[in-house]
Amino acid sequence: MLKRFIDRFSWVDLFLRAFQVIVIILIFVGIYNTVVAGRYSSAQWATLVFAGLAQGSIYALIALGYTLVYGILLMINFAHGEVYMAGAFTAVFLAEYLYAIGLLDANPVLGIIAMILLAASVSTIIAILLERIAYRPLRNAPRLVPLITAIGASFALQYTFRGLYGAEFRAYPPVNALRGPVNVFGFDVPLVQLVVLAAAIILMIALYLFVERTKMGKAMRAVSEDKDVARLMGVDIDKIIVTTFAIGGALAGIAGVFNGLFRPQGVYFFMGFFPGLKAFTAAVLGGIGNLPGAMIGGLLLGVIESVFPNLILEGLGIPSANQLRDAFAFIMLVLILIFRPQGIFGERLAEKKA
Amino acid sequence: MFKRLNVALALLLVAGMVLAACGPAPFECTDAIGCVDIAPDEPIHIAYMLTVSGATAYLGEDSRGAIEIAIDDRGGELLGHPIQLSGEDTLCSAEGGQTAATKVAADPTIVGIIGTNCSSEATAAMPTISAAGLVMLSPSNTAPALTLEGETWQPGYFRIAHTDLFQGSVAAEFAYNELGARTAATIHDGSPYADQLQQVFAGRFQELGGTITFQGAVNVGDTDMRTVLTSVAADSPEVLYFPIFEPEGPFIVAQSSEIAGLENTTLMGADGLLSDSFPENSGPNVVGMYLSGPYVSGAAYDDFLAKWSAKFGGAPPSGFHAFAYDGTNILLDAIEKVATVDDDGTVHIGRQALRDAIAGLTDYTGLTGRLDCSDDDYSAFGITNPSHGDCATGEALGIFELTQAEVDGNWPPPVVYTP
């Protein structure tokens, strides 16, 4: 018994286990200190949680695009953040126009649907072009090649949009119908955050049903399992891949409009970079290639970012906690990868895929 | 063969000596750091280093337009030479300032510079600019350290904009005396401008008897301000002063209404947010907010605005054009004063002499009031370092109030307080 234990003992495992314990203790000490200090009211925590959920649902929608493409092609489409920017940046002009003619006040539902349609179409077209021009010619190249191409495509898109629309910051006009607070469990929450959260959840469920229940979804899953066998069974691989990019693009464009409703300022050519990185983090957090994983990962990351700096870092006496928010989000990624490399929902990848 | 060449050379030498003896005595540069020589058919070359692209382009365009008007006012000529204006984009970042400085310093024809807009640019650019023997006059740098010896001051640096020692104090006095606030919080973005300005504000506010509840910072590029606003809201201060830029400023304004505990907090920004796009981008919460910043008035200024409107249409996009105009005039006047003109029209400008001429200016009246570029003493602000090159006397400052009219497009906003 003891001999077997000694045989299997490894210093790396011990170190990781000790690290795990230390991290958990630190988190609990931080939370305990903050709660005991009682600087913040429950209403303030609720604000952070709901804003985090709204932010998280935007991450989740973008993350779905990463995860869909990874599931099919096993590549990280690092230009996906720019697909999101393209939709958000284009729709801001329509939003300004709709606001100017008064439609956004008179009929906000129609206005928002128009914005969503425009953003989704622009992002879809960009995503399809991206696949056609940047990725398809390299489909059989070594895996590093499309990754580098993605970074190049990302810059190309950023500076194309800078050239098209200029480098100034723009802002979505206020949608007055979405401003009013709604009472949720006794807390005042801006309606827009609930709308964004609800709409994102509906979209995610729709996507899940599409992939699980339709013929096209079945074909996508088949391609994801094994491209060659799927082709032998008569599945048009190119069509499936284009569809995958199109769906991911549409979701990113919709996320762009939601972002504009939730947080109207700061629309410019570089706006896709950080959300793209965060959404990628969310996809890995949930288990890349896994759709529910991307949804949960996105929502979780949004809440972690929003709540934890004040909850944990302040309790540990770390100054200017809010400035460490991005660092904190990425530290969470590292921790997840250390303790659960496959992500929250991911299955361990077979050798072929990994 | 060689002998013949030697004879030819000797003849040339003799001829040269004879010609030299006959002509006027050649100009000899005695300046400690060199001279700029401008041949009769060459222009007098000045440069701008402004942030003319990107999110802070409104600052650069505002200054550049004023420089062009100042040059137009002289008919585009100085000492019989055309004035050439070239420029570098400084991008409102330290890296941009450094790159622009390297390019400008490499051009020996440049006599002087109007720039930079952002204090971070000047901090990075000045060592290069100073080593090249140039003078630089800033229309909108406000970080106090830039003119303080022993901090980031470098010889050759002057600024027409007021140091934030004035602006921060005026803002604090307004908050304490006019708004009656006794508690305040500040947020900066890590830039030298914002950090030093909020520090001066906090210091003066406490000196007056107020309490600073929170001094925090956001990162440039942050979009979600709820975390930091929640930290601020824990103490429900009466005033929140955030002298930062777009887009972080609008994010703070827009998200502030969601946070419980900030209902009775008055928002105050500074001249970094004093742009016509700020109210519209920030949305309805901006109503009732205050901005400290440069305030210029008078008949000469109205005259300037008329020229602007005729040349570019509309009003200047930010609040520093008058400083850029005064700076350009100070530079051109100083060049005129120190230049030696030969009979054939060649102009020689001593670089140290030019610096001394500007530093010797003690009673210049410009659009922005009385300017005094000689050394200053800021011991009243608790600063013991000697200060050089600060031209502003703090006359051209005011507090603006943003109302619904500004959200709807009115610019500039009304002034509610002047020191």
Side-chain angles (χ1 to χ4, degrees):
Chain A
M1 184 73 189
L2 189 68
K3 187 174 177 307
R4 251 174 63 196
F5 178 77
I6 291 172
D7 280 349
R8 292 173 59 183
F9 179 79
S10 130
W11 283 106
V12 176
D13 282 351
L14 180 73
F15 175 76
L16 281 182
R17 184 62 61 184
F19 186 64
Q20 227 164 353
V21 172
I22 291 171
V23 168
I24 290 168
I25 289 175
L26 277 180
I27 288 177
F28 275 103
V29 170
I31 294 176
Y32 177 78
N33 285 345
T34 308
V35 171
V36 168
R39 254 170 71 81
Y40 303 112
S41 67
S42 51
Q44 286 168 333
W45 288 120
T47 305
L48 290 180
V49 170
F50 279 101
L53 282 173
Q55 174 68 68
S57 46
I58 292 161
Y59 288 157
L61 287 178
I62 309 173
L64 287 172
Y66 278 105
T67 246
L68 279 170
V69 169
Y70 186 86
I72 302 265
L73 285 178
L74 299 183
M75 69 160 279
I76 311 286
N77 174 14
F78 266 118
H80 194 58
E82 269 52 63
V83 173
Y84 156 80
M85 175 274 290
F89 207 164
T90 309
V92 80
F93 294 95
L94 178 65
E96 279 170 6
Y97 172 73
L98 293 178
Y99 182 72
I101 63 168
L103 184 76
L104 222 45
D105 278 331
N107 194 342
V109 177
L110 189 67
I112 290 169
I113 288 177
M115 277 148 64
I116 286 180
L117 284 180
L118 176 71
S121 352
V122 170
S123 290
T124 306
I125 292 167
I126 298 273
I128 291 173
L129 287 178
L130 196 62
E131 194 274 334
R132 190 69 194 82
I133 297 169
Y135 301 144
R136 195 182 293 181
L138 299 169
R139 201 175 290 159
N140 296 314
R143 292 184 61 183
L144 199 57
V145 176
L147 190 72
I148 302 293
T149 313
I151 295 170
S154 175
F155 281 119
L157 284 171
Q158 275 172 22
Y159 288 92
T160 306
F161 274 81
R162 183 190 154 140
L164 281 175
Y165 300 145
E168 290 82 35
F169 287 95
R170 300 191 157 269
Y172 275 77
V175 182
N176 292 324
L178 290 177
R179 289 193 74 201
V182 177
N183 198 308
V184 183
F185 309 126
F187 300 114
D188 279 346
V189 181
L191 178 61
V192 63
Q193 296 180 3
L194 297 177
V195 169
V196 167
L197 180 62
I201 289 175
I202 292 170
L203 277 172
M204 293 178 213
I205 293 173
L207 178 68
Y208 187 76
L209 292 179
F210 173 79
V211 171
E212 294 294 324
R213 298 282 161 83
T214 64
K215 208 171 165 193
M216 185 61 122
K218 200 178 223 175
M220 283 169 78
R221 280 181 290 139
V223 175
S224 151
E225 284 287 323
D226 193 321
K227 275 208 273 294
D228 296 328
V229 175
R231 184 179 285 130
L232 290 176
M233 298 297 128
V235 177
D236 184 346
I237 306 279
D238 282 342
K239 195 176 136 199
I240 296 298
I241 291 176
V242 168
T243 312
T244 310
F245 271 89
I247 294 173
L251 290 173
I254 297 170
V257 173
F258 284 166
N259 180 64
L261 297 176
F262 163 60
R263 202 181 38 216
Q265 292 79 22
V267 178
Y268 76 127
F269 72 97
F270 200 60
M271 69 178 289
F273 179 73
F274 253 94
L277 218 52
K278 292 278 178 60
F280 173 65
T281 306
V284 175
L285 197 65
I288 190 143
N290 182 302
L291 289 183
M295 303 174 197
I296 302 294
L299 290 176
L300 202 60
L301 186 69
V303 176
I304 285 175
E305 260 191 2
S306 176
V307 178
F308 280 22
N310 282 356
L311 186 61
I312 296 178
L313 296 183
E314 244 188 60
L316 294 174
I318 296 171
S320 63
N322 71 292
Q323 280 189 295
L324 294 171
R325 188 181 46 210
D326 291 340
F328 197 74
F330 295 124
I331 287 172
M332 288 308 285
L333 175 70
V334 173
L335 291 180
I336 293 280
L337 290 180
I338 289 176
F339 297 138
R340 203 175 153 77
Q342 69 273 36
I344 299 171
F345 286 86
E347 65 256 51
R348 280 195 187 281
L349 296 174
E351 277 305 307
K352 175 177 72 75
K353 284 193 172 185
Chain B
M1 185 68 199
F2 279 110
K3 207 173 250 175
R4 204 182 286 166
L5 201 68
N6 280 343
V7 171
L9 275 176
L11 278 176
L12 265 178
L13 205 68
V14 171
M17 283 162 117
V18 170
L19 280 175
C22 293
F27 174 81
E28 202 178 319
C29 181
T30 53
D31 197 88
I33 51 173
C35 298
V36 190
D37 304 308
I38 299 157
D41 52 346
E42 283 176 6
I44 291 181
H45 188 180
I46 65 173
Y48 68 77
M49 284 172 43
L50 303 169
T51 166
V52 288
S53 78
T56 45
Y58 62 89
L59 279 174
E61 283 160 9
D62 186 71
S63 303
R64 184 173 59 189
I67 298 171
E68 287 173 11
I69 290 175
I71 293 174
D72 287 353
D73 282 355
R74 292 167 191 256
E77 280 194 3
L78 188 67
L79 300 164
H81 291 248
I83 302 171
Q84 181 194 349
L85 176 68
S86 63
E88 292 296 334
D89 189 358
T90 42
L91 306 168
C92 201
S93 69
E95 297 80 6
Q98 176 64 59
T99 312
T102 311
K103 278 177 152 169
V104 169
D107 186 342
T109 65
I110 292 174
V111 185
I113 304 160
I114 304 296
T116 60
N117 285 126
C118 302
S119 297
S120 53
E121 301 164 342
T123 309
M126 267 324 286
T128 312
I129 297 293
S130 186
L134 288 158
V135 291
M136 183 163 99
L137 294 91
S138 170
S140 69
N141 290 162
T142 52
L146 281 167
T147 55
L148 297 179
E149 187 176 329
E151 298 222 14
T152 49
W153 175 76
Q154 301 278 339
Y157 179 79
F158 298 92
R159 70 164 142 213
I160 317 299
H162 46 78
T163 163
D164 285 334
L165 295 174
F166 296 136
Q167 189 183 181
S169 302
V170 169
E173 284 155 18
F174 173 73
Y176 191 88
N177 295 330
E178 303 293 317
L179 296 179
R182 294 294 174 266
T183 53
T186 66
I187 296 176
H188 68 91
D189 63 1
S191 66
Y193 156 79
D195 188 12
Q196 295 177 28
L197 185 47
Q198 62 87 22
Q199 203 56 54
V200 172
F201 174 90
R204 183 75 184 125
F205 193 75
Q206 282 167 323
E207 214 175 272
L208 289 167
T211 313
I212 296 293
T213 57
F214 176 85
Q215 281 176 287
V218 296
N219 298 318
V220 173
D222 273 358
T223 52
D224 196 341
M225 304 300 177
R226 292 175 183 88
T227 324
V228 70
L229 287 174
T230 306
S231 302
V232 171
D235 308 300
S236 294
E238 289 161 83
V239 165
L240 173 61
Y241 189 60
F242 49 104
I244 58 176
F245 294 97
E246 287 200 59
E248 291 81 18
F251 280 130
I252 287 187
V253 176
Q255 292 170 21
S256 63
S257 64
E258 282 174 32
I259 312 294
L262 290 182
E263 295 83 359
N264 301 316
T265 304
T266 306
L267 302 179
M268 275 183 79
D271 47 11
L273 291 173
L274 195 66
S275 95
D276 53 1
S277 61
F278 171 67
E280 200 191 333
N281 282 351
S282 302
N285 293 345
V286 93
V287 175
M289 180 178 169
Y290 297 95
L291 293 175
S292 57
Y295 173 58
V296 185
S297 60
Y301 182 61
D302 293 339
D303 200 30
F304 171 85
L305 288 180
K307 285 178 202 162
W308 183 288
S309 174
K311 191 170 166 69
F312 304 107
S318 184
F320 290 99
H321 41 271
F323 299 90
Y325 181 83
D326 285 353
T328 314
N329 279 325
I330 287 176
L331 176 63
L332 296 178
D333 286 352
I335 292 174
E336 211 165 14
K337 190 175 153 202
V338 303
T340 317
V341 186
D342 293 349
D343 290 344
D344 65 351
T346 307
V347 170
H348 308 277
I349 302 159
R351 292 194 183 275
Q352 184 61 46
L354 187 60
R355 286 181 180 178
D356 294 343
I358 300 175
L361 210 58
T362 53
D363 197 13
Y364 180 91
T365 307
L367 292 183
T368 59
R370 193 175 71 82
L371 295 170
D372 176 353
C373 301
S374 60
D375 297 353
D376 290 291
D377 174 19
Y378 290 135
S379 50
F381 295 99
I383 288 171
T384 50
N385 309 39
S387 167
H388 310 284
D390 243 338
C391 296
T393 51
E395 281 182 9
L397 270 169
I399 303 279
F400 301 85
E401 183 179 8
L402 299 176
T403 63
Q404 185 60 40
E406 280 67 49
V407 181
D408 296 336
N410 172 53
W411 197 261
V415 171
V416 291
Y417 173 78
T418 49

